[in-house]
């Protein structure tokens, strides 16, 4: 039974219930489903689904709320990639709303005296800020595939920003990591520091400036972000960063025209097959879809189902190593560089590359030659140096609805805390996405005017027999690719349930001499790690890799939403009950 409630009443009931409920990281049911890393964001999506909104509507409501509760990872000051399975069109579509370089940018953006700036020095500056795409991305998704208005979808986020919430350990931890960066800027210090320190766990935090900014977008529409007073404030914050007295940072050069002319791109997703599944991933400028497809193509040449787990994982690490060699060499903004996509995705090329996987652990392997496996074998610009530094943040959410639509959405402001610049009086952080460019050339991913930096974000939707089978994605910079890949191998090849696959210990091999692994007693001290070490793998330990969210469509007609049960706090996975 549907009972009509006024928006205010609905929200107060929702806020009460969200205070009382635990956040389940796994839920199964028959209705629409959502998984995010934040309970208020998952509740916002559920509320929209219950109101009759579809998965696209609900994803935007969740994303706007994540901008309040996870402000150091994502928000309207950044950009992202949304993958949508449209049940109506039986098609997967990708919406690229990645940040772009302003017109003033040249390949020398991050050079000082002809030397590349060290990555950390490049981040807290106006020069690192790309033209944000998130708001136009939401608007584009809504116009084409949504059913509700932007104003309706921003309502839950406005409530959370206005009423606030108690700061949890995770918020505090990331806030603390950013103390030095935020201390450079007046507006960031005011919003995110108390006497120069991160807000304490348990203290109440609200963001009325962000509530007002969302209200402005609700009242005037997405264009209000790109033209008018808000645009004036964004341009001013980039070009004259609001630094504290005595602090100097590098000023950016973004114009009103850069903002006004920002464009979203609808792109053909990367499509590949793996053991009877159809895998859809994000195309360039993300490297995620191509690298995952390539690694899966290599793994498909082995009979993983009949191998020991350690051998499967050995091959997973080898495939990832080789896929990253090509990713680092060839992938950048497709409007600026000729990426040999056809060759990279060719099953024949994968077979040839897979021959390199059978020995002991690969070290830093070289890029292959995919050009021989495509119709146009001419070679574009080749890289001259290895991978630069990338950071490990962002957020990913998954939503599905009863009509069968699915959304996989990863969005970001790049580093935790982005550039550190809060737009004064507007309550949101600006990205540092341009540090995802390579700092020195020649390289396909060097900074250029209007270009989009290469990304690793990998929203993924997998079909079987033309129907959604599961969707998965994660934050984590370049470890996003390995998190998505490993979760798929865990589920498809090692036979783990979807939640086991998400929660299993993660390893990330990105064409390096060492493999990053999570420090977990169920992995690092066990037989599995020993077997991998015997195969020549050397590990570097870290606390956590990624924070995945996904949904699996079960054969009995139910859906299971899965979030993290330990990483990044505890995520919240919900399924509609009525
Ligand atoms: N900037 C990164 C990318 O586009 C995402 C940030 C992160 O996950 O750390 O791949």
């Amino acid at each position: 039974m549907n009972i009509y409630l006024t928006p205010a009443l609905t929200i107060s009931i929702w806020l009460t219930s969200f205070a009382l409920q635990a956040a389940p990281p796994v839920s199964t049911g028959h209705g629409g489903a959502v998984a995010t890393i934040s309970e208020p964001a998952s509740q916002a999506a559920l509320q929209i689904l219950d109101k009759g909104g579809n998965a696209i509507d609900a994803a935007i409501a969740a994303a706007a709320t994540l901008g309040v509760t996870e402000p150091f990872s994502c928000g309207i000051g950044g950009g992202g990639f949304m993958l949508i399975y449209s049940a109506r069109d039986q098609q997967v579509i990708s919406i690229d709303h990645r940040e772009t370089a302003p017109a003033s940018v040249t390949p020398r953006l991050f050079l000082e005296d002809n030397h590349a700036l060290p990555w950390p020095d490049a981040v807290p500056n106006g020069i690192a800020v790309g033209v944000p795409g998130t708001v136009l991305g939401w608007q584009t998704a809504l116009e084409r595939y949504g059913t509700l208005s932007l104003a309706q979808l921003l309502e839950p986020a406005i409530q959370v920003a206005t009423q606030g919430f108690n700061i949890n350990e995770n918020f505090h931890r990331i806030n603390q990591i950013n103390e030095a960066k935020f201390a450079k800027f007046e507006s960031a210090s005011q919003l995110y520091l108390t006497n120069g320190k991160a807000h304490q766990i348990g203290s109440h935090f609200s963001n009325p400036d962000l509530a007002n900014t969302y209200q402005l977008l609700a009242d005037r529409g997405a264009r209000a972000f790109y033209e008018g007073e808000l645009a004036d404030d964004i341009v001013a914050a980039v070009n004259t960063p609001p630094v504290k007295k005595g602090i100097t940072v590098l000023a950016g050069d973004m114009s009103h025209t850069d903002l006004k002319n920002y464009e979203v791109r609808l792109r053909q997703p990367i499509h590949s097959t793996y053991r009877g599944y159809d895998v859809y991933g994000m195309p360039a400028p993300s490297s995620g879809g191509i690298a995952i497809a390539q690694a899966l193509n290599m793994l498909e040449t082995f009979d993983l189902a009949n191998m020991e787990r350690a051998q499967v994982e050995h091959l997973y690490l080898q495939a990832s190593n080789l896929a990253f060699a090509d990713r680092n060499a060839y992938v950048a903004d497709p409007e600026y560089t000729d990426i040999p996509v056809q060759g990279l995705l060719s099953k024949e090329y994968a077979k040839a590359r897979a021959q390199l996987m059978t020995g002991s652990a690969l070290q830093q392997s070289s890029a292959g030659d995919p050009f021989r496996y495509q119709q146009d074998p001419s070679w574009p610009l080749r890289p001259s140096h290895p991978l630069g530094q990338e950071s490990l943040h962002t957020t990913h959410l998954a939503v599905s609805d009863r009509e069968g639509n699915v959304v996989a959405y990863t969005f970001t402001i790049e580093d935790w805390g982005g550039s550190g610049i809060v737009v004064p009086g507007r309550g949101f952080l600006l990205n540092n996405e341009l540090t995802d460019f390579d700092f020195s050339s020649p390289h396909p991913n060097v900074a250029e005017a209007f270009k989009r930096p290469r990304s690793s974000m990998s929203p993924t939707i997998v079909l079987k027999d033309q129907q959604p089978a599961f969707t998965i994605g994660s934050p984590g910079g370049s470890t996003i690719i390995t998190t998505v890949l490993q979760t798929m191998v865990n589920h498809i090849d090692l036979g783990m349930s979807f939640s086991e696959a998400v929660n299993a210990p993660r390893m990330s091999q990105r064409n390096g001499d060492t493999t990053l692994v999570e420090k977990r007693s169920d992995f690092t001290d066990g037989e599995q790690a020993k077997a991998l070490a015997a195969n020549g793998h050397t590990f570097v330990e870290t606390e956590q890799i990624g924070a995945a969210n996904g949904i699996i469509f079960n054969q009995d007609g139910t859906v299971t939403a899965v979030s993290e049960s330990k990483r990044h706090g505890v995520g919240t996975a919900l399924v509609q009950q009525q």
Side-chain angles (χ1 to χ4, degrees):
M1 184 173 65
N2 282 327
I3 301 172
Y4 180 75
L5 301 172
T6 62
L9 187 55
T10 314
I11 283 159
S12 71
I13 289 173
W14 160 64
L15 282 174
T16 317
S17 61
F18 126 63
L20 297 176
Q21 279 172 2
V26 180
S27 288
T28 297
H30 283 93
V34 55
T36 82
I37 209 65
S38 152
E39 186 174 0
S42 292
Q43 292 283 5
L46 195 72
Q47 183 194 2
I48 294 297
L49 290 170
D50 283 347
K51 266 187 174 174
N54 68 10
I56 293 85
D57 299 318
I60 292 163
T65 308
L66 282 161
V68 183
T69 59
E70 294 277 318
F72 312 126
S73 306
C74 61
I76 57 174
F81 297 119
M82 188 184 286
L83 212 59
I84 297 174
Y85 172 74
S86 160
R88 180 191 63 199
D89 303 336
Q90 296 194 308
Q91 227 190 354
V92 182
I93 310 102
S94 82
I95 301 182
D96 165 357
H97 49 285
R98 179 79 161 161
E99 301 90 329
T100 55
S104 61
V105 162
T106 73
R108 305 187 59 79
L109 183 68
F110 293 111
L111 297 186
E112 209 175 51
D113 301 331
N114 284 331
H115 293 291
L117 281 171
W119 188 86
D121 293 352
V123 171
N125 296 295
I127 59 164
V129 183
V131 181
T134 294
V135 175
L136 204 59
W138 292 351
Q139 181 61 26
T140 306
L142 265 188
E143 275 167 8
R144 289 175 177 257
Y145 302 103
T147 64
L148 302 179
S149 68
L150 185 61
Q152 286 169 297
L153 304 180
L154 292 176
E155 220 174 78
I158 292 172
Q159 286 290 327
V160 178
T162 306
Q163 299 194 359
F165 52 90
N166 291 339
I167 285 178
N168 62 20
E169 204 183 321
N170 199 55
F171 187 110
H172 171 74
R173 182 174 59 88
I174 305 174
N175 195 178
Q176 202 169 33
I177 291 169
N178 274 298
E179 276 174 4
K181 183 155 71 175
F182 291 161
K184 291 179 188 291
F185 303 102
E186 198 65 61
S187 49
S189 300
Q190 276 167 15
L191 187 59
Y192 290 122
L193 301 179
T194 311
N195 301 324
K197 295 278 168 211
H199 298 313
Q200 287 307 308
I201 297 171
S203 60
H204 190 76
F205 176 79
S206 63
N207 190 341
D209 286 346
L210 183 56
N212 289 337
T213 302
Y214 280 167
Q215 193 58 56
L216 176 79
L217 300 175
D219 294 342
R220 302 218 200 131
R223 288 306 320 163
F225 189 90
Y226 297 92
E227 290 171 71
E229 287 167 15
L230 177 51
D232 293 345
D233 289 352
I234 295 169
V235 168
V238 172
N239 297 348
T240 322
V243 282
K244 284 182 126 174
K245 213 166 163 207
I247 306 271
T248 326
V249 301
L250 297 165
D253 186 3
M254 188 184 288
S255 70
H256 284 87
T257 313
D258 288 321
L259 265 175
K260 194 170 151 196
N261 288 349
Y262 179 82
E263 285 177 359
V264 162
R265 296 273 192 267
L266 273 84
R267 299 188 190 276
Q268 280 293 330
I270 295 297
H271 173 231
S272 60
T273 56
Y274 187 62
R275 304 195 198 279
Y277 289 92
D278 284 281
V279 181
Y280 290 87
M282 195 64 215
S286 180
S287 55
I290 297 172
I292 289 166
Q294 246 191 294
L296 290 173
N297 283 345
M298 288 182 242
L299 288 169
E300 205 175 35
T301 65
F302 297 91
D303 181 16
L304 300 188
N306 289 312
M307 287 181 186
E308 294 292 324
R309 178 167 171 177
Q311 182 62 13
V312 172
E313 290 181 335
H314 169 61
L315 292 171
Y316 148 67
L317 295 175
Q318 302 280 74
S320 180
N321 182 312
L322 291 165
F324 263 87
D326 286 348
R327 174 254 192 208
N328 298 344
Y330 300 120
V331 183
D333 186 334
E335 290 163 39
Y336 287 71
T337 189
D338 232 348
I339 308 169
V341 180
Q342 189 190 5
L344 290 169
L345 297 181
S346 140
K347 298 267 186 196
E348 288 307 308
Y349 177 54
K351 249 187 231 162
R353 292 288 275 170
Q355 286 173 10
L356 302 172
M357 290 166 58
T358 49
S360 61
L362 290 161
Q363 303 299 303
Q364 202 174 55
S365 58
S366 306
D369 181 4
F371 298 93
R372 289 172 30 209
Y373 297 85
Q374 54 178 32
Q375 277 153 0
D376 171 10
S378 54
W379 284 22
L381 185 65
R382 309 303 301 270
S384 65
H385 60 90
L387 179 67
Q389 184 167 349
E390 295 171 52
S391 61
L392 304 172
H393 323 101
T394 302
T395 198
H396 177 81
L397 63 94
V399 187
S400 64
D401 63 28
R402 286 200 169 102
E403 291 149 43
N405 300 302
V406 183
V407 178
Y409 184 28
T410 318
F411 78 125
T412 187
I413 54 173
E414 215 306 282
D415 193 22
W416 270 328
S419 63
I421 303 173
V422 168
V423 180
R426 303 297 187 170
F428 65 91
L429 281 155
L430 289 168
N431 68 84
N432 63 299
E433 211 68 54
L434 302 192
T435 62
D436 270 3
F437 282 123
D438 279 71
F439 286 12
S440 44
S441 50
H443 193 284
N445 186 42
V446 77
E448 293 179 77
F450 307 121
K451 193 171 174 179
R452 297 175 189 217
R454 182 187 59 210
S455 170
S456 300
M457 293 192 281
S458 307
T460 303
I461 296 177
V462 179
L463 308 187
K464 184 133 200 208
D465 303 326
Q466 277 98 52
Q467 292 301 318
F470 62 85
T471 175
I472 184 76
S474 176
S478 54
T479 70
I480 293 173
I481 294 171
T482 56
T483 292
V484 171
L485 177 62
Q486 189 180 4
T487 307
M488 290 177 71
V489 170
N490 285 346
H491 178 59
I492 297 174
D493 295 306
L494 292 174
M496 294 184 200
S497 74
F498 203 55
S499 66
E500 283 168 350
V502 166
N503 283 302
R506 292 191 182 131
M507 298 178 274
S508 184
Q509 167 50 248
R510 289 159 291 153
N511 193 225
D513 296 343
T514 56
T515 292
L516 194 68
V517 296
E518 289 182 320
K519 184 174 163 40
R520 280 174 47 167
S521 54
D522 57 346
F523 172 69
T524 20
D525 303 339
E527 292 306 312
Q528 194 190 339
K530 277 190 205 135
L532 285 164
N535 248 326
H537 295 279
T538 314
F539 300 127
V540 172
E541 292 181 356
T542 186
E543 287 304 313
Q544 293 178 9
I545 298 175
N549 283 292
I551 299 172
I552 184 157
F553 303 89
N554 303 311
Q555 287 191 340
D556 64 2
T558 58
V559 292
T560 302
V562 178
S563 190
E564 296 286 359
S565 57
K566 291 194 185 69
R567 300 180 183 97
H568 202 85
V570 177
T572 302
L574 303 170
V575 180
Q576 275 182 295
Q577 293 307 328
Q578 85 258 35

Coordinates of all heavy atoms in Angstrom, one line a residue, residues 81 98 286 327 390-395 410 412-416 433 436 453-457 474-478 480, ligand 1:
F81 N 31.9 9.2 -13.6 CA 31.4 8.4 -14.7 C 30.3 7.6 -14.3 O 30.3 6.8 -13.3 CB 32.6 7.4 -15.2 CG 33.8 8.1 -15.7 CD1 35.0 7.9 -15.1 CD2 33.7 8.9 -16.8 CE1 36.1 8.5 -15.6 CE2 34.9 9.5 -17.3 CZ 36.1 9.3 -16.7
R98 N 33.6 13.8 -16.6 CA 34.9 14.0 -16.0 C 35.3 15.5 -16.1 O 34.9 16.2 -17.1 CB 35.9 13.2 -16.9 CG 37.4 13.3 -16.6 CD 37.7 12.4 -15.5 NE 39.1 12.1 -15.3 CZ 39.6 11.6 -14.2 NH1 38.8 11.4 -13.1 NH2 40.9 11.3 -14.1
S286 N 38.5 7.0 -19.1 CA 38.9 6.1 -18.0 C 39.6 4.9 -18.7 O 39.3 4.5 -19.8 CB 37.7 5.5 -17.3 OG 38.2 4.7 -16.3
R327 N 47.9 -0.1 -20.2 CA 47.1 1.0 -19.7 C 48.0 2.3 -19.6 O 47.7 3.4 -20.0 CB 46.4 0.6 -18.4 CG 45.6 1.7 -17.7 CD 46.4 2.1 -16.5 NE 45.7 3.0 -15.6 CZ 46.2 3.9 -14.8 NH1 47.5 4.1 -14.8 NH2 45.4 4.6 -14.0
E390 N 49.4 8.5 -8.4 CA 48.0 8.7 -8.4 C 47.5 8.4 -7.0 O 48.1 7.7 -6.2 CB 47.3 7.8 -9.3 CG 47.7 8.0 -10.8 CD 47.1 6.9 -11.7 OE1 45.9 6.6 -11.6 OE2 47.9 6.3 -12.4
S391 N 46.4 9.1 -6.6 CA 45.9 8.9 -5.2 C 44.8 7.9 -5.2 O 44.5 7.3 -6.2 CB 45.5 10.2 -4.6 OG 44.4 10.7 -5.4
L392 N 44.3 7.6 -4.0 CA 43.5 6.4 -3.8 C 42.1 6.7 -3.1 O 41.8 6.2 -2.1 CB 44.2 5.5 -2.8 CG 45.6 5.0 -3.3 CD1 46.3 4.3 -2.2 CD2 45.6 4.2 -4.5
H393 N 41.3 7.6 -3.7 CA 40.1 8.0 -3.0 C 38.9 7.9 -3.9 O 38.8 7.1 -4.8 CB 40.4 9.4 -2.4 CG 41.8 9.4 -1.9 ND1 42.7 10.1 -2.6 CD2 42.4 8.8 -0.9 CE1 43.9 9.9 -2.0 NE2 43.7 9.1 -1.0
T394 N 37.8 8.8 -3.6 CA 36.6 8.7 -4.4 C 35.5 7.9 -3.8 O 35.7 7.4 -2.7 CB 37.0 8.0 -5.8 OG1 38.0 8.7 -6.4 CG2 35.8 7.9 -6.7
T395 N 34.4 7.8 -4.4 CA 33.3 6.9 -3.9 C 32.6 6.2 -5.1 O 32.5 6.8 -6.2 CB 32.4 7.7 -3.0 OG1 31.6 6.7 -2.2 CG2 31.4 8.5 -3.7
T410 N 30.6 6.0 -10.3 CA 31.8 6.4 -9.5 C 32.1 7.9 -9.7 O 32.1 8.3 -10.9 CB 33.1 5.6 -10.0 OG1 32.7 4.3 -10.2 CG2 34.2 5.7 -8.9
T412 N 34.1 11.7 -8.0 CA 35.3 12.0 -7.2 C 35.6 13.4 -7.2 O 35.1 14.2 -8.0 CB 36.5 11.2 -7.9 OG1 37.6 11.3 -7.1 CG2 36.8 11.7 -9.3
I413 N 36.5 13.8 -6.2 CA 37.2 15.1 -6.4 C 38.7 14.9 -6.4 O 39.5 15.7 -6.2 CB 36.8 16.1 -5.2 CG1 37.0 15.5 -3.9 CG2 35.4 16.6 -5.4 CD1 36.8 16.5 -2.7
E414 N 39.1 13.6 -6.7 CA 40.4 13.1 -6.9 C 41.0 12.8 -5.5 O 40.7 11.8 -4.9 CB 41.3 14.1 -7.6 CG 42.4 13.4 -8.5 CD 43.3 12.4 -7.8 OE1 44.3 12.8 -7.2 OE2 43.2 11.2 -8.1
D415 N 41.9 13.6 -5.0 CA 42.6 13.3 -3.7 C 41.5 13.4 -2.6 O 40.5 14.1 -2.7 CB 43.7 14.3 -3.5 CG 44.7 13.9 -2.4 OD1 44.7 12.7 -2.0 OD2 45.3 14.7 -1.8
W416 N 41.8 12.8 -1.4 CA 40.9 13.1 -0.3 C 41.0 14.6 0.0 O 42.1 15.1 0.2 CB 41.4 12.3 0.9 CG 40.7 10.9 1.0 CD1 39.5 10.6 0.6 CD2 41.3 9.8 1.6 NE1 39.2 9.3 0.9 CE2 40.3 8.7 1.5 CE3 42.5 9.5 2.2 CZ2 40.5 7.5 2.0 CZ3 42.7 8.2 2.7 CH2 41.7 7.2 2.6
E433 N 41.6 17.3 -9.9 CA 41.7 16.2 -10.9 C 42.8 16.3 -12.0 O 43.2 15.4 -12.5 CB 40.3 16.1 -11.7 CG 39.9 14.7 -12.1 CD 39.6 13.8 -10.9 OE1 38.8 14.2 -10.1 OE2 40.3 12.8 -10.9
D436 N 45.8 14.1 -12.3 CA 45.7 12.8 -12.9 C 46.4 12.8 -14.3 O 46.5 11.8 -14.9 CB 44.3 12.3 -13.1 CG 43.8 11.5 -11.9 OD1 44.6 11.4 -10.9 OD2 42.7 11.0 -11.9
P453 N 41.7 14.3 -18.0 CA 42.8 13.4 -17.5 C 42.4 12.0 -17.5 O 41.2 11.7 -17.2 CB 43.1 13.9 -16.1 CG 42.1 14.9 -15.7 CD 41.3 15.2 -16.9
R454 N 43.4 11.1 -17.7 CA 43.1 9.7 -17.7 C 42.6 9.3 -16.3 O 43.1 9.7 -15.3 CB 44.3 8.8 -18.0 CG 44.0 7.3 -18.0 CD 45.3 6.5 -18.2 NE 46.2 6.8 -17.2 CZ 47.5 6.7 -17.3 NH1 48.1 6.4 -18.4 NH2 48.3 7.0 -16.3
S455 N 41.6 8.4 -16.2 CA 41.1 8.0 -14.9 C 41.2 6.5 -14.8 O 41.5 5.8 -15.8 CB 39.6 8.4 -14.9 OG 39.0 7.8 -13.8
S456 N 41.0 6.0 -13.6 CA 40.9 4.5 -13.4 C 39.5 4.1 -13.0 O 39.3 2.9 -12.7 CB 41.9 4.1 -12.3 OG 43.2 4.4 -12.6
M457 N 38.6 5.0 -12.9 CA 37.3 4.7 -12.3 C 36.6 3.7 -13.2 O 36.6 3.8 -14.5 CB 36.5 6.0 -12.2 CG 37.1 6.9 -11.1 SD 36.0 8.3 -10.6 CE 36.3 9.4 -11.9
S474 N 34.2 0.6 -7.4 CA 35.0 0.9 -6.1 C 35.7 2.3 -6.3 O 36.0 2.7 -7.4 CB 36.0 -0.2 -5.8 OG 36.8 0.2 -4.7
P475 N 36.1 2.9 -5.2 CA 37.1 4.0 -5.2 C 38.5 3.4 -5.1 O 38.6 2.1 -5.0 CB 36.8 4.8 -4.0 CG 36.2 3.8 -3.0 CD 35.5 2.8 -3.8
G476 N 39.5 4.2 -5.2 CA 40.8 3.7 -4.9 C 41.8 4.0 -6.0 O 42.8 3.3 -6.1
G477 N 41.7 5.1 -6.7 CA 42.7 5.5 -7.8 C 42.9 4.3 -8.7 O 41.9 3.6 -9.0
S478 N 44.1 4.0 -9.0 CA 44.4 2.9 -9.9 C 44.1 1.5 -9.3 O 43.9 0.5 -10.0 CB 45.8 2.9 -10.5 OG 46.7 3.0 -9.4
I480 N 41.3 0.8 -8.2 CA 39.9 0.6 -8.5 C 39.9 -0.6 -9.5 O 39.1 -1.5 -9.4 CB 39.3 1.8 -9.2 CG1 39.2 2.9 -8.2 CG2 38.0 1.5 -9.8 CD1 38.7 4.3 -8.8
Ligands
LIG1 N1 41.3 10.5 -9.8 C1 41.1 9.1 -9.7 C2 40.6 8.6 -11.0 O1 40.0 9.2 -11.8 C3 40.0 8.8 -8.7 C4 40.5 9.1 -7.4 C5 40.7 8.0 -6.5 O2 39.9 7.0 -6.6 O3 41.6 8.1 -5.8 O4 41.0 7.5 -11.3

